[in-house]
């Protein structure tokens, strides 16, 4: 079988948060990301789905949350993302460390991982994050109204670190089906990067620091218990596919590998397929388009509650069931 073209990198990462107004404050006012879509969980419309990204909501820049204020905290362990990595411009970590500490966010001392300067901290609900200095992997549009100056703004999703009970099954799946290559090993972490990432040559050989936005770091942890989703954990990692055709070809390859992918689901701003990789992490394949401005003026992204067309008829009940997001969400500050 010919191998399908690999995904084009990360599309979005979705995580579970606690209180939605605290989540909004942290990602918008502390990390300076734009709320590009305020919607609801399509499977649980009494819960928000909040999307933070760059100024235009470009694919690969987007971290999204289901705020379940009353859910249990997540349990770390194999099959659950241990830390989510975000790309920031080279030489911006001193700015970020000072900014985060001044806002009461405790940071670890910056250190290099796979040669990249990395600043680790957690969001208010325990989601482990790190800012990593690297070149922009994707199209990036600064958010003009951000409290963070454009030259320091978060550029993209960088990658994720995941402990797995056994490395080999996930490794074979990543390499044979998803089109990753094994790049390096450091301190027990194995770095995998999608073919086609910047900094790789045709054979997938590294040229310097490579792969921002296309990375998955795995650590084999045979003795660790299975982790569990909850507040502060990543729910799934979504990878970008070009279009419906690309999605079908990858979905077929995933099915041939015995991973039982879902049907193609219309998420309105993109089309999605879900499946578990062998290590227990939920993956999604999401199309590049049509994107977040399909139903909103790009200038006004995130300002009003957006519902997919099939939920629009229930707007009154849905709005009544959702918690107030507080003054931060009344309108976006303008540059
Ligand atoms: Zn998703």
């Amino acid at each position: 079988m010919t191998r399908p073209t690999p995904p084009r990198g990360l599309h979005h990462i979705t995580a579970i948060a606690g209180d939605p107004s605290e989540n909004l404050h942290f990602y918008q006012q502390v990390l300076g990301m734009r709320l590009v879509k305020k919607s609801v969980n399509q499977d649980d419309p009494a819960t928000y789905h909040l999307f933070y990204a760059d100024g235009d909501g470009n694919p690969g820049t987007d971290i999204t949350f289901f705020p379940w204020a009353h859910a249990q905290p997540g349990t770390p362990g194999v099959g659950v993302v241990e830390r989510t990595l975000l790309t920031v411009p080279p030489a911006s970590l001193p700015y970020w460390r000072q900014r985060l500490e001044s806002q009461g966010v405790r940071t670890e001392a910056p250190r290099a991982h796979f040669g990249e300067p990395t600043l680790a901290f957690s969001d208010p609900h325990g989601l482990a994050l790190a800012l990593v200095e690297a070149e922009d992997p994707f199209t990036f549009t600064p958010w003009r109204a951000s409290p963070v100056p454009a030259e320091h703004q978060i550029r993209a999703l960088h990658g994720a670190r995941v402990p797995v009970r056994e490395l080999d099954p996930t490794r074979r799946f990543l390499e044979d089906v998803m089109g990753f290559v094994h790049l390096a090993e450091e301190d027990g972490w194995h770095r995998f990067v999608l073919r086609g990432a910047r900094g790789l040559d045709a054979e997938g050989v590294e040229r310097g620091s490579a792969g921002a936005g296309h990375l998955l770091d795995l650590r084999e942890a045979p003795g660790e218990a299975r982790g569990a989703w909850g507040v502060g954990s990543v729910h799934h990692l979504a990878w970008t596919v070009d279009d419906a055709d690309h999605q079908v070809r990858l979905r077929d390859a995933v099915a041939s590998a015995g991973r039982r992918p879902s049907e193609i689901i219309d998420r309105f701003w993109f089309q999605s397929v879900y499946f578990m990789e062998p290590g227990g992490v939920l993956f999604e394949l999401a199309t590049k388009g049509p994107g977040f401005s399909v139903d909103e003026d790009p200038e006004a992204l995130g300002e009003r509650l957006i519902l997919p067309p099939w939920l629009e008829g229930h707007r009154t009940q849905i709005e009544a069931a959702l918690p107030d997001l507080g003054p931060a969400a009344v309108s976006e500050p303008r540059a």
Side-chain angles (χ1 to χ4, degrees):
M1 193 182 80
T2 45
R3 233 195 327 226
T5 306
R8 307 298 183 180
L10 281 160
H11 183 286
H12 63 270
I13 290 181
T14 294
I16 301 166
D19 179 81
S21 40
E22 291 170 11
N23 175 261
L24 177 67
H25 175 80
F26 186 77
Y27 286 88
Q28 185 177 251
Q29 299 303 325
V30 179
L31 293 188
M33 300 177 78
R34 184 175 186 189
L35 178 70
V36 292
K37 193 65 66 182
K38 179 168 56 175
S39 190
V40 293
N41 182 328
Q42 293 180 12
D43 304 312
D44 172 18
T47 300
Y48 279 112
H49 193 181
L50 302 176
F51 297 69
Y52 306 96
D54 73 345
D56 282 345
N58 284 303
T61 68
D62 182 14
I63 184 163
T64 94
F65 292 90
F66 300 132
W68 280 318
H70 305 295
Q72 295 290 314
T75 311
V78 296
V80 172
V81 172
E82 183 176 294
R83 194 171 292 278
T84 297
L85 313 177
L86 305 169
T87 309
V88 293
S92 62
L93 286 193
Y95 165 85
W96 275 106
R97 190 164 201 213
Q98 196 277 329
R99 175 176 179 79
L100 291 169
E101 293 282 343
S102 75
Q103 306 255 352
V105 181
R106 222 161 46 83
T107 61
E108 294 176 21
R111 48 167 298 194
H113 283 283
F114 293 105
E116 298 170 323
T118 300
L119 178 67
F121 57 98
S122 294
D123 87 356
H125 302 132
L127 183 71
L129 298 170
L131 301 178
V132 181
E133 290 184 0
E135 296 296 333
D136 301 7
F138 308 119
T139 303
F140 168 78
T141 311
W143 177 34
R144 285 176 295 120
S146 175
V148 174
E151 69 267 27
H152 295 309
Q153 284 178 22
I154 291 169
R155 291 303 199 259
L157 302 169
H158 192 71
R161 292 189 200 147
V162 189
V164 290
R165 189 161 291 146
E166 283 183 286
L167 183 63
D168 273 353
T170 295
R171 177 178 185 152
R172 276 198 303 275
F173 180 78
L174 291 179
E175 291 177 344
D176 297 348
V177 180
M178 295 286 289
F180 282 83
V181 291
H182 184 268
L183 199 59
E185 185 183 352
E186 183 182 287
D187 297 337
W189 287 99
H190 295 260
R191 170 154 283 194
F192 292 85
V193 58
L194 278 166
R195 285 172 195 279
R198 179 184 298 172
L200 298 185
D201 67 20
E203 283 75 50
V205 177
E206 183 182 15
R207 288 189 278 110
S209 166
H214 298 70
L215 297 169
L216 194 59
D217 295 341
L218 299 179
R219 174 171 63 82
E220 188 167 52
E224 279 181 35
R226 178 86 167 99
W229 288 341
V231 171
S233 35
V234 167
H235 186 268
H236 61 266
L237 305 177
W239 306 94
T240 301
V241 293
D242 293 331
D243 50 28
D245 234 43
H246 189 196
Q247 188 169 50
V248 166
R249 276 181 279 116
L250 270 164
R251 185 185 180 281
D252 287 349
V254 168
S256 298
R259 299 319 307 169
R260 299 194 303 175
S262 73
E263 294 306 310
I264 292 167
I265 298 172
D266 185 4
R267 293 305 190 198
F268 197 54
W269 308 294
F270 38 84
Q271 314 288 318
S272 298
V273 167
Y274 301 85
F275 54 92
M276 288 270 184
E277 59 75 36
V281 181
L282 186 60
F283 278 5
E284 173 182 347
L285 301 173
T287 54
K288 270 185 191 154
F292 293 121
S293 51
V294 70
D295 53 6
E296 268 183 299
D297 173 1
E299 283 298 313
L301 290 178
E303 289 185 8
R304 64 186 288 265
L305 182 73
I306 298 295
L307 298 173
W310 57 93
L311 290 176
E312 197 54 62
H314 305 282
R315 174 175 284 272
T316 312
Q317 303 93 295
I318 289 172
E319 285 186 334
L322 288 167
D324 184 11
L325 281 183
V330 169
S331 79
E332 298 291 312
R334 295 283 183 199

